[in-house]
Amino acid sequence: MERAAVFDVDGTLVDTNHLHVVTWWEAFRQAGHRVPMHAVHRAVGLSSTDLIGHLLGDDRDKDQDAGLSAAHKALYGQYFDRLPALPEAGELLRRLAHDGWKVVLATSAGGAELGALRRAIDADDAITATASADDVEAGKPAAEPVEHALELAGVPAERAVFVGDTVWDMQAGSRAGVRCVGVLCGGIPRADLEEAGAAAVYADPAHLLASLADSPLA
């Protein structure tokens, strides 16, 4: 039977979380909001609208949301030509594809940003499909992004594993009924990932690749 390995991208395969922190912080600063960087870091992984709502609250001026999102997009876009893949990210995807897994990306990125991330990973030959935030109504921590990834792979939840770096990833995978694997390279503590549903936690893609035989992706 076919199996699916679903991967978050930012902070999981590409070392971008702190770039998002700085560029969101600057977008908020330009709009007159003082948001601590540690709070932004904890919110990375949410869709733009959800991230803004999480940090500014439901009573914010929602007319500012589009401008904040556009500012972040423009600031972050300056890094598109040099986004760094995490150690052995591409090798991990190729190994899984070689072992018979359908590799699917589940990310809130789209358009040029998604293209830049895929160039950084440099493993298009191993990727079966990509589920972006544009394809679903609700982003992580809702189950929809993971469920859509499984639909693209044509694989049931019980035959899939979801790898991510944030609490939102673990919650989304758990709600979709998928076994979750966490990685620490996004900067979120092991205990938080495990509390949110991670069955196993690894340092980064290289650590997971070296540990495949004893992992949920065995």
Side-chain angles (χ1 to χ4, degrees), residues 120-138:
I121 300 166
D122 192 24
D124 277 356
D125 54 310
I127 299 169
T128 298
T130 300
S132 79
D134 298 334
D135 303 321
V136 296
E137 290 186 7

Side-chain angles (χ1 to χ4, degrees), residues 11 17-18 41-42 165-166 183-190 192-193 203:
N17 278 13
H18 290 85
H41 181 214
R42 303 288 294 191
D165 69 297
T166 68
V183 287
L184 299 172
C185 40
I188 301 302
R190 177 187 296 270
D192 291 6
L193 296 174

Side-chain angles (χ1 to χ4, degrees), residues 26-43:
E26 177 62 14
F28 285 124
R29 189 197 67 80
Q30 290 178 4
H33 300 289
R34 297 184 64 178
V35 181
M37 288 198 193
H38 71 84
V40 178
H41 181 214
R42 303 288 294 191

Side-chain angles (χ1 to χ4, degrees), residues 146-166:
V146 181
E147 290 171 344
H148 182 56
L150 297 180
E151 290 172 5
L152 293 174
V155 173
E158 61 270 19
R159 298 284 299 170
V161 175
F162 180 43
V163 183
D165 69 297
T166 68

Side-chain angles (χ1 to χ4, degrees), residues 70-129:
H72 164 258
K73 187 174 182 178
L75 291 161
Y76 181 65
Q78 299 176 70
Y79 298 99
F80 280 0
D81 62 347
R82 55 192 188 280
L83 298 180
L86 282 154
E88 298 188 48
E91 290 85 346
L92 172 61
L93 301 192
R94 289 195 184 90
R95 169 66 183 278
L96 290 171
H98 178 268
D99 290 349
W101 291 81
K102 284 190 170 182
V103 176
V104 184
L105 306 183
T107 174
S108 58
E113 180 181 348
L114 178 56
L117 291 166
R118 291 185 68 143
R119 287 193 298 275
I121 300 166
D122 192 24
D124 277 356
D125 54 310
I127 299 169
T128 298

Side-chain angles (χ1 to χ4, degrees), residues 174-201:
S174 297
R175 289 169 179 167
V178 175
R179 196 171 190 194
C180 296
V181 170
V183 287
L184 299 172
C185 40
I188 301 302
R190 177 187 296 270
D192 291 6
L193 296 174
E194 290 176 340
E195 183 179 351
V201 179

